[in-house]
Amino acid sequence: MINLGAKKLILASQSPRRKELLKGLGFDFEVRSKDTSEDFPINLDPSEVAGFLSAKKAAAFAHEIGPNEIVLTSDTVVILEGKILGKPANEEEAFEMLFALSGKTHLVTTGITFLTLEKELTLSDTAKVFFKELSGQEIEYYISNFKPFDKAGGYGIQEWIGFVGVEKIEGSYFTVMGLPIHLVYDVLKNL
């Protein structure tokens, strides 16, 4: 267990998954969030987008961070064949995304940014996810029961689709879930 001393950890995310993962490390933290545009330069390499967006989210707190505060932001992107799959706007988009992922391998990159008054550090972690072939009926069942509209790529690995659709992962399960908790721990340990 790490003692942050006088430092106060702020998780700048409303994601219940990120809250759950950070709580699992045993840290006390406060949740604060701001709506931040998830636009990024179109010429940015897909592998750099999560880090870019995470740093952009941290920048929103730059003028209000206290002297003993550590702001942690995060962003996750799903990359299929060099293209980013964002969050689906509706059932049709979610179906298209999951149908495209079916039977293929894709990458999930999560970027994290730590911001204090003294410094900013952004790191990214990538996992390779192998999906089995999914039937249209399976995809429709998942979408209607789990409403994955707040999830990059239209799915949450910790939900039903992850149970039945993911054959294997190369990398951290928690990176796919939205927070590379091993990196978070290492950075906080060394602050």
Side-chain angles (χ1 to χ4, degrees):
M1 177 57 199
I2 300 168
N3 183 352
L4 294 176
K7 296 276 187 195
K8 180 180 193 176
L9 182 59
I10 294 149
L11 175 63
S13 174
Q14 285 296 328
S15 163
R17 296 164 299 283
R18 290 187 179 120
K19 288 183 215 172
E20 175 191 338
L21 291 173
L22 196 55
K23 191 182 277 187
L25 280 181
F27 289 110
D28 287 328
F29 61 93
E30 177 184 316
V31 174
R32 288 186 211 160
S33 69
K34 292 177 175 273
D35 285 332
T36 309
S37 158
E38 295 193 1
D39 294 338
F40 55 87
I42 56 168
N43 61 340
L44 194 62
D45 187 290
S47 66
E48 297 175 3
V49 170
F52 174 86
L53 291 174
S54 178
K56 189 175 180 182
K57 290 176 181 180
F61 288 87
H63 298 295
E64 60 188 62
I65 189 169
N68 290 316
E69 294 180 332
I70 305 164
V71 173
L72 168 60
T73 59
S74 184
D75 194 84
T76 301
V77 297
V78 170
I79 305 165
L80 176 66
E81 298 167 349
K83 293 190 173 88
I84 290 183
L85 301 183
K87 296 172 183 169
N90 52 42
E91 290 184 10
E92 187 178 323
E93 270 189 26
F95 187 92
E96 288 171 8
M97 286 180 187
L98 288 168
F99 188 77
L101 293 169
S102 175
K104 295 185 182 145
T105 300
H106 63 276
L107 301 175
V108 178
T109 300
T110 296
I112 54 173
T113 300
F114 296 87
L115 179 68
T116 66
L117 278 180
E118 296 81 31
K119 65 181 173 182
E120 179 180 330
L121 172 66
T122 298
L123 303 167
S124 290
D125 194 55
T126 300
K128 191 182 229 183
V129 181
F130 298 77
F131 253 68
K132 73 169 199 153
E133 289 279 347
L134 298 166
S135 70
Q137 188 178 9
E138 288 169 325
I139 294 171
E140 287 171 2
Y141 171 84
Y142 173 66
I143 293 167
S144 64
N145 286 283
F146 292 89
K147 314 275 189 243
F149 309 118
D150 64 334
K151 296 175 179 69
Y155 80 94
I157 194 165
Q158 72 282 1
E159 296 174 341
W160 184 84
I161 202 86
F163 303 160
V164 303
V166 174
E167 292 179 326
K168 71 176 179 173
I169 302 170
E170 290 176 5
S172 170
Y173 173 85
F174 301 109
T175 292
V176 182
M177 215 171 141
L179 194 65
I181 207 73
H182 62 288
L183 292 181
V184 172
Y185 182 80
D186 286 346
V187 171
L188 290 175
K189 185 170 71 172
N190 293 311
L191 271 179

